[in-house]
Amino acid sequence: MIALSGFFFLMLSVIGSWVYRKQALLLCLMTIGTALCFITIQTSFWAVAALLVLGTFWCFYKKRQIRLISFICILAFSTLFKWHAIPGMPRLFFTENFALSLDSTLVGLIPLCFFVPLGGKNVWKVTCTQGLLFSLTGIALMILPALFFKIVRFAPALPSYPALRYANQLFFVVTTEEAFYRGFMQKELPTFLCQLTKKQAQFVSYFVTTLFFTLVHWFWVSQALMLVFVFLAGGLYGLVYLKTGRLESAMLCHCLLNGVHMTFFSYHAM
């Protein structure tokens, strides 16, 4: 229960990123949540050290002289975190295929709370109109080929631990992944492509981010056709972000697709 309360504090930091965006408060909530996870779940020196290193790279990211190096190191360490490659990083298992994972959560939670711009004028209006329209259209176009090529099969059913799974998807998967891949990587990559035009840089950033998103998911997905599906999904999220200019729209799209996939179709992590 103490470990679960740690993830509750992390969830509060996600919510606070929109409701009360004060960095001191968000840092406090994140620190308490992380500490509770480390204290109550068996961990190691390497896990603590890796987290400190990742935090250091984030602290140095705004320094112009080493910004590119910090960017590359953040991507590299974040990939190790997403692959659960750091020994002793706290994970709270409920089934063999379902766990609340501190490492993959922190990858996106750090930029969400401290680096990624959220909200803005008419953000929810744009998200609930343009974002929803692009999302539903894209999801509908993906479902038919996924069924035809037997990437998934129609199998409507609630997953085990439904409340926890849906909360995990919303707060620790969808929100944090979109904050990292679209809000940070896709947004920041064009700043390192000064030799290209704005549109060229945006396209390169969009494609590289989508490819990187797919390669990271290679850790969980072994089927080649499923990886194609992941690539198309990542491309959809990035396109929704480009078209609406709102990270919340990409989050909505990601949330809808994962929710539909997990509830109505065969799901690899059941």
Side-chain angles (χ1 to χ4, degrees):
M1 285 299 294
I2 297 178
L4 194 59
S5 68
F7 283 97
F8 176 75
F9 277 97
L10 296 178
M11 182 185 72
L12 290 179
S13 66
V14 173
I15 297 172
S17 298
W18 280 276
V19 177
Y20 192 70
R21 195 175 175 86
K22 299 294 183 181
Q23 291 193 349
L25 174 62
L26 298 179
L27 179 61
C28 182
L29 291 171
M30 190 186 303
T31 302
I32 293 172
T34 302
L36 287 172
C37 291
F38 271 110
I39 290 170
T40 56
I41 303 175
Q42 186 176 6
T43 185
S44 72
F45 164 80
W46 296 109
V48 177
L51 181 57
L52 291 175
V53 171
L54 179 62
T56 300
F57 286 131
W58 276 111
C59 290
F60 282 115
Y61 179 68
K62 291 298 184 181
K63 293 186 178 296
R64 186 180 298 273
Q65 300 89 334
I66 56 172
R67 198 174 183 207
L68 178 58
I69 296 175
S70 297
F71 182 81
I72 294 171
C73 291
I74 287 170
L75 294 186
F77 264 82
S78 295
T79 301
L80 294 177
F81 274 47
K82 292 293 288 185
W83 284 352
H84 310 304
I86 308 298
M89 192 63 77
R91 301 182 70 195
L92 184 59
F93 280 90
F94 294 90
T95 71
E96 183 181 352
N97 295 318
F98 171 50
L100 299 179
S101 303
L102 179 66
D103 44 9
S104 58
T105 297
L106 290 177
V107 165
L109 189 57
I110 294 172
L112 178 75
C113 291
F114 305 112
F115 292 90
V116 176
L118 298 170
K121 186 177 180 180
N122 298 325
V123 60
W124 299 115
K125 180 180 178 181
V126 172
T127 298
C128 294
T129 53
Q130 297 179 34
L132 183 60
L133 177 61
F134 286 129
S135 299
L136 293 178
T137 302
I139 292 171
L141 291 174
M142 290 182 64
I143 287 175
L144 292 178
L147 288 171
F148 179 80
F149 290 105
K150 298 182 180 180
I151 299 174
V152 296
R153 69 180 188 279
F154 186 64
L158 281 177
S160 58
Y161 301 97
L164 271 175
R165 281 184 182 269
Y166 289 126
N168 177 57
Q169 283 291 320
L170 176 60
F171 294 107
F172 304 137
V173 177
V174 168
T175 303
T176 57
E177 284 193 352
E178 290 310 306
F180 182 77
Y181 293 110
R182 258 57 65 175
F184 170 65
M185 185 176 177
Q186 186 172 325
K187 176 178 174 291
E188 293 293 313
L189 192 54
T191 63
F192 303 107
L193 303 173
C194 302
Q195 69 275 21
L196 302 180
T197 66
K198 182 179 179 180
K199 287 189 176 181
Q200 288 173 337
Q202 285 181 337
F203 175 79
V204 170
S205 177
Y206 164 74
F207 180 79
V208 171
T209 301
T210 302
L211 183 61
F212 188 80
F213 176 83
T214 306
L215 292 176
V216 171
H217 280 72
W218 181 37
F219 179 82
W220 304 280
V221 180
S222 57
Q223 290 180 293
L225 283 177
M226 180 58 81
L227 278 175
V228 173
F229 183 80
V230 172
F231 180 82
L232 293 176
L236 175 61
Y237 308 148
L239 186 61
V240 170
Y241 176 56
L242 275 178
K243 290 294 185 182
T244 64
R246 298 290 188 273
L247 184 61
E248 288 83 354
S249 296
M251 291 176 178
L252 173 64
C253 183
H254 197 158
C255 188
L256 287 173
L257 181 56
N258 280 16
V260 168
H261 185 186
M262 190 164 60
T263 307
F264 297 102
F265 300 93
S266 54
Y267 190 69
H268 67 280
M270 293 296 281

